[in-house]
């Protein structure tokens, strides 16, 4: 059982908010769990709420929200249990109940279903039907309580549950109990005590109703003595015990109970909007050409709610994946439930040409990033009874926007090719100067162990083919190297005595030096050493 005791006067003071327990049932009751506690500010709201519609520049009142939701079109079940035992005649309690029930019933919607049940020694259904005719309902109440009547609260609650169990009952159900005495049933009652198997059965039945509908109880104990009003909380789990200081305060407390029920109606209607907010996406997926540094695109904001209006403030946008700016969005956007608004934005900037800025068509994807604070004017009006849980940020959906641009310079590739060619040429010239320098001077060839006169070969060009008179063949080319005395060209000699590659040998001969290759002596005479004798067996290549 969930109970809260209101011990403060209804005359201008705020009573402590009734404590509500966790609900049970289907997914649609998640909204009711979020409205766990209803404070006195909401309970003290005027019944029925009235007012003029809020303008676009003002925060709507709760009455405005209720009218927009069509609370009157949302049916609810009411079972009103009125104690007509003999003790109710004292202190004007019964006459006060009669007079204060009328404004309570006047505040109900014609689509609401009302069961008015009196109970003393036994319960009796006085009226069952639409709440649209208060006079007809009030006419069914007895003129006075039964002087000899007992107080069978258990039987009264059984009657209430029977009414709520009917097929096709609304999804919001309330039991209102008004009694001034303890449970004191007559002989033969199924509920001789305030506990027992019969009461366990009532709790089970109430739990079953709570799984189908959002069930709540409101117990109003009358008088200053002991009362059995709390027994409603032992059957209906979500029950608030409201204690007026005097029977004259009953009207104010009935108004508060009515306001709580209206808030529950609103919560049920808004349950499908819990956690819903605003999405944003590109309005189309066509590629934009930003070659000139700018382009236009369309952005669509959409409210995902069914009933709640939303506002986005401090709106700004940026692009992810592209170095462009976005402009043209208003700083504040208001959306009706389910509404979409499309805005044209400017994309400004250029796509990067990259490390090689040659002329080409560059492509990129622009991911939309929108920031802003999402709120609803209804949050303040409905708090704390109904929570909307509006996501505070705009959620981006859809694909990135394709972008393309012609980037780079048309002269870059020719300049690059020219530069590469010049570099390659420079490398080749350096290599040739080092590994194939021009040859000057003479090369003397003679048998290593004496004999015939030496062949005198003039060195010219960059490579010389050898054809000695003694036979064989070979080649000579130079290689430049640095020394302490400056650059020096050595000769790289290849020679085979029979012309076959298998017997070819190699040797390096410095200026003024002699080497022997395959039995032939090679002497390198630089240009300044040559004596001008003719050569006839060397041929430059």
């Amino acid at each position: 059982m969930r109970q809260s005791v209101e011990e403060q006067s209804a005359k201008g003071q705020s009573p402590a908010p009734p404590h509500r327990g966790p609900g049970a049932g289907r997914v649609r009751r998640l909204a009711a769990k979020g409205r766990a506690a209803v404070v006195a500010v909401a309970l003290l709201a005027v019944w029925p709420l009235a007012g003029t519609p809020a303008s676009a520049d003002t925060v709507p009142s709760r009455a405005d929200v209720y009218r927009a939701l069509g609370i009157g079109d949302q049916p609810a079940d009411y079972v009103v249990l009125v104690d007509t035992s003999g003790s109710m005649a004292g202190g004007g309690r019964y006459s006060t109940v009669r007079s204060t029930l009328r404004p309570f019933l006047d505040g109900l919607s014609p689509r609401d279903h009302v069961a008015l049940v009196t109970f003393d020694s036994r319960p009796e259904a006085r009226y069952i039907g639409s709440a649209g005719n208060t006079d007809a309902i009030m006419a069914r109440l007895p003129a006075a309580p039964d002087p000899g009547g007992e107080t069978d609260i258990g039987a009264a609650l059984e009657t209430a549950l029977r009414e709520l169990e009917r097929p096709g009952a609304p999804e919001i159900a309330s039991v209102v109990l008004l009694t001034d005495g303890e449970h004191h049933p007559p002989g033969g009652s199924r509920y001789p005590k305030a506990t027992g198997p019969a009461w366990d059965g009532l709790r089970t039945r109430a739990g079953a109703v709570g799984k189908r509908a959002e069930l709540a109880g409101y117990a109003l104990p009358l008088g200053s003595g002991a009362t059995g009003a709390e027994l409603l909380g032992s059957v209906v789990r979500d029950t608030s015990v409201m204690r007026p200081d005097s029977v004259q305060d009953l009207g104010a407390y009935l108004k508060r109970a009515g306001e709580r029920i209206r808030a529950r109606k609103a919560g049920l209607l808004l349950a499908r909007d819990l956690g819903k907010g605003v999405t944003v996406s590109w309005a189309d997926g066509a590629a934009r050409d930003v070659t000139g540094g700018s382009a236009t695109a369309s952005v669509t904001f959409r409210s995902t709610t069914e009933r709640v209006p939303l506002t986005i403030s401090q709106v700004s946008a940026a692009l992810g994946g592209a170095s462009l700016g976005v402009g043209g969005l208003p700083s504040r956007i208001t959306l009706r439930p389910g509404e979409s608004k499309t805005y044209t934005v400017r994309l400004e900037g250029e796509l990067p040409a990259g490390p090689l800025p040659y002329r080409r068509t560059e492509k990129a994807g622009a991911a939309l990033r929108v920031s802003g604070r999402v709120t609803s004017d209804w949050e303040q009006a409905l708090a704390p009874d109904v929570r909307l849980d509006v996501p505070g940020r705009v959620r981006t959906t859809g694909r990135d926007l394709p972008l393309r641009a012609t980037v780079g310079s048309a002269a870059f590739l020719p300049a690059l090719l020219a530069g590469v060619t010049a570099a390659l040429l420079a490398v080749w010239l350096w290599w040739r100067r080092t590994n194939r320098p021009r040859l000057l001077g003479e090369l003397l060839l003679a048998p290593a162990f004496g004999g015939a006169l030496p062949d005198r070969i003039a060195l010219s060009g960059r490579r010389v083919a050898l054809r000695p008179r003694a036979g064989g063949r070979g080649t000579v080319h130079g290689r430049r190297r640095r020394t302490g005395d400056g650059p020096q060209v050595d000769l790289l000699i290849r020679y085979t005595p029979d012309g076959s590659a298998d017997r070819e040998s190699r040797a390096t001969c410095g200026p003024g030096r002699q080497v022997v290759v395959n039995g032939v002596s090679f002497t390198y005479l630089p240009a300044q050493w040559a004596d001008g004798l003719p050569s006839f067996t060397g041929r430059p290549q």
Side-chain angles (χ1 to χ4, degrees):
M1 178 181 76
R2 296 188 62 181
Q3 296 184 345
S4 65
V5 180
E6 296 192 2
E7 297 179 347
Q8 296 172 312
S9 172
K11 300 176 181 178
Q13 295 184 354
S14 299
H19 184 67
R20 294 172 60 99
R26 302 175 304 180
V27 173
R28 65 174 183 275
R29 302 186 59 207
L30 291 174
K33 293 182 179 179
R35 305 183 307 278
V38 182
V39 298
V41 173
L43 293 177
L44 288 172
V46 177
W47 176 272
L49 288 173
T52 59
S55 69
D57 298 329
T58 60
V59 177
S61 66
R62 181 170 290 202
D64 297 326
V65 175
Y66 285 171
R67 277 192 294 270
L69 286 174
I71 290 294
D73 297 329
Q74 177 70 21
D77 235 342
Y78 295 86
V79 179
V80 182
L81 303 177
V82 179
D83 187 351
T84 53
S85 62
S87 61
M88 285 289 289
R93 286 189 284 273
Y94 185 70
S95 59
T96 302
V97 168
R98 285 180 58 89
S99 63
T100 54
L101 270 180
R102 177 174 291 277
F104 174 80
L105 295 172
D106 284 341
L108 304 185
S109 166
R111 297 197 61 185
D112 292 334
H113 181 88
V114 174
L116 179 61
V117 179
T118 61
F119 67 95
D120 38 57
S121 297
R122 62 181 180 84
E124 182 176 350
R126 301 290 183 170
Y127 176 89
I128 297 178
S130 171
N133 192 338
T134 300
D135 290 337
I137 300 173
M138 294 300 298
R140 301 296 182 88
L141 275 176
D146 183 358
E150 302 287 352
T151 307
D152 194 341
I153 297 177
L157 295 177
E158 180 180 359
T159 303
L161 290 174
R162 187 182 305 116
E163 178 63 22
L164 298 178
E165 290 167 339
R166 72 185 188 282
E171 295 181 344
I172 294 180
S174 301
V175 179
V176 181
L177 173 63
L178 300 99
T179 181
D180 72 335
E182 294 182 306
H183 176 60
H184 194 276
S189 171
R190 294 185 65 242
Y191 307 92
K193 297 181 179 180
T195 58
W199 289 92
D200 295 338
L202 291 179
R203 279 188 288 273
T204 300
R205 292 171 61 184
V209 173
K211 292 180 179 179
R212 176 192 60 78
E214 185 188 334
L215 175 61
Y218 304 92
L220 287 88
L222 308 175
S224 57
T227 175
E230 288 87 349
L231 289 176
L232 175 59
S234 69
V235 175
V236 178
R237 188 177 184 182
D238 189 4
T239 291
S240 298
V241 179
M242 311 172 75
R243 292 186 179 275
D245 285 349
S246 65
V247 72
Q248 285 76 22
D249 298 330
L250 178 61
Y253 279 81
L254 279 175
K255 290 179 183 179
R256 297 169 194 172
E259 170 57 21
R260 289 191 62 185
I261 296 169
R262 285 164 63 87
R264 290 166 54 209
K265 281 188 176 184
L268 182 63
L269 290 172
L270 296 173
R272 292 172 61 89
D273 281 351
L274 279 177
K276 292 185 177 180
V278 176
T279 63
V280 64
S281 62
W282 296 111
D284 62 81
R288 298 306 197 272
D289 192 332
V290 293
T291 301
S294 66
T296 60
S298 296
V299 173
T300 298
F301 291 82
R302 185 175 71 88
S303 168
T304 61
T305 62
E306 298 178 11
R307 297 179 180 273
V308 178
L310 300 173
T311 299
I312 318 167
S313 56
Q314 302 173 359
V315 181
S316 64
L319 296 182
S323 56
L324 280 78
V326 184
L329 285 176
S331 61
R332 181 182 178 89
I333 299 173
T334 301
L335 297 171
R336 295 189 299 272
E339 183 182 14
S340 295
K341 289 185 177 180
T342 299
Y343 299 91
T344 299
V345 297
R346 299 184 305 276
L347 310 179
E348 298 179 345
E350 298 179 350
L351 295 183
L356 297 177
Y358 60 92
R359 179 60 62 90
R360 68 189 186 279
T361 298
E362 185 73 11
K363 296 181 179 180
L368 185 60
R369 302 284 187 266
V370 174
S371 61
R373 183 170 177 264
V374 182
T375 59
S376 174
D377 290 342
W378 287 13
E379 291 178 296
Q380 180 178 344
L382 295 175
D385 305 343
V386 182
R387 293 178 54 192
L388 299 181
D389 291 337
V390 177
R393 296 183 178 180
V394 179
R395 182 169 61 90
T396 303
T397 61
R399 298 181 178 179
D400 295 350
L401 181 69
L403 300 177
R404 67 170 181 266
T406 300
V407 299
S409 171
F412 177 79
L413 276 182
L416 178 64
L417 292 175
V420 171
T421 301
L424 292 176
L425 178 60
V427 171
W428 179 80
L429 291 175
W430 172 85
W431 180 90
R432 190 178 71 158
R433 183 174 183 276
T434 301
N435 295 281
R436 292 291 188 274
R438 290 187 177 276
L439 300 178
L440 297 173
E442 295 180 340
L443 184 64
L444 301 181
L445 283 72
F449 304 105
L453 293 175
D455 292 335
R456 195 180 190 103
I457 300 173
L459 299 176
S460 63
R462 300 182 184 277
R463 187 170 182 271
V464 175
L466 300 179
R467 295 287 189 271
R469 287 178 298 177
R473 63 182 181 179
T475 61
V476 176
H477 67 270
R479 174 173 295 170
R480 190 184 305 273
R481 64 186 179 88
R482 293 183 180 276
T483 67
D485 298 329
Q488 173 180 298
V489 176
D490 295 333
L491 298 183
L492 276 68
I493 303 171
R494 295 183 180 183
Y495 175 71
T496 173
D498 59 2
S500 67
D502 293 339
R503 295 191 61 189
E504 182 181 270
S505 296
R506 303 180 184 184
T508 300
C509 183
R513 302 297 181 118
Q514 179 182 12
V515 295
V516 176
V517 181
N518 281 332
V520 176
S521 171
F522 293 85
T523 303
Y524 175 25
L525 301 178
Q528 63 270 26
W529 292 8
D531 58 5
L533 293 178
S535 63
F536 49 86
T537 56
R539 186 173 56 190
Q541 293 185 343

